[in-house]
Amino acid sequence: MLLVVAGVGCLLVAALFATSPGPTSLGPASEQVSTIGATAIAVAFTWALAARTGGRPLIFGLLAAVIGGMVLLTDHDGLRAGASVMTCAVGAVLGMLVTVPAVRIRQAVRETVIAFGVATIGAAASIGFLPLIDLARFRYATLAVALFIAFVLAYRIGAGVHGLGRRGLVVVLGGGALLATGLVYAELLRVYGTPGLIDVLIDAAAWSDRIFGGHPRPLPAVLGLPTLVWGVHLRARRRQGWWACAFGVTGLAPIARVLAEPGLSDVATLATLGTTLVTGVVIGILVISLDLLLIGSRGRGARTAERDHAVRPEPGRSRPLL
């Protein structure tokens, strides 16, 4: 925690002095301060992820420190981009893994907010490496790496494929189809979209910008965050909840893409993240309510009894899961 606080402090100092005019500006030194802060957060998050998954924190923490040191010494664009992608993916996966099972809906909301906060710090560290990136490629690369790590861990923690069950299979197939459809449709819309449909989407985004100062991003708000809200709630009852949580990284990894977007002001960035989080949480609550209505116990007394017995044990937030 101290290393994360120090890293965030370095990122804030670098951002303040890099944008301040006059003789107080650090100039090129702000890049080094930013890289040091990003490295500190990357080391802490890598250490925490290894510890949470029962790995070797010392080895992987030192490896992250070595990579950050090489970025600082060589200033190589490829190293900066690679460190940025890995830090973003580690932050997203760690955000998902630090959650604990939520018996009640309000607890599921709390865990989602915690995961979002952890992933935001990781995304800030990712951008703190100052990579020279194509935003579309960066988005796909971070999503692919984060999803791969998340599903490997879900496979291990969720008792493998045979632990899926009918509900887990529906989660994986439905979530995968929705993810593929969303990515393909967004790319086709960007390249070949009809003017009328694009105008409708632009008008909706403009309305949200006028009212709230920003508009939610579709993939995190519709798929990533709702599955995370539902997943932590489901984990209190069934191990298959981990498969739903794995899709939650699609709501956490794109945070770095929002922070890196050059056309957004600081206020617009915060508004975009806020509207995305609120929209995703609201949809997640609706998914939980629908799940309880269709599959849960009938009647208020039965619901209360079911909630009281939803105590599937898991290690604490700071304990290894494996």
Side-chain angles (χ1 to χ4, degrees), residues 227-260:
T227 54
L228 185 59
V229 175
W230 181 45
V232 294
H233 186 266
L234 186 60
R235 272 165 47 199
R237 294 152 176 83
R238 297 172 181 85
R239 186 176 286 190
Q240 293 97 324
W242 277 110
W243 292 97
C245 288
F247 282 102
V249 299
T250 62
L252 303 178
I255 295 175
R257 169 66 174 79
V258 175
L259 296 181

Side-chain angles (χ1 to χ4, degrees), residues 41 59 92 111 123 144 196 218-219 231 240 258:
I41 295 174
I59 293 177
E111 294 302 313
L219 185 63
Q240 293 97 324
V258 175

Side-chain angles (χ1 to χ4, degrees), residues 77 80-81 129-134:
D77 291 340
R80 285 189 179 274
F129 278 110
L130 305 176
L132 297 176
I133 53 174
D134 177 86

Side-chain angles (χ1 to χ4, degrees), residues 191-241:
V191 179
Y192 304 108
T194 61
L197 182 56
I198 293 178
D199 289 342
V200 171
L201 297 177
I202 291 176
D203 291 341
W207 176 85
S208 180
D209 290 338
R210 288 196 305 270
I211 301 300
F212 304 108
H215 58 275
R217 297 306 165 93
L219 185 63
V222 176
L223 175 63
L225 295 176
T227 54
L228 185 59
V229 175
W230 181 45
V232 294
H233 186 266
L234 186 60
R235 272 165 47 199
R237 294 152 176 83
R238 297 172 181 85
R239 186 176 286 190
Q240 293 97 324

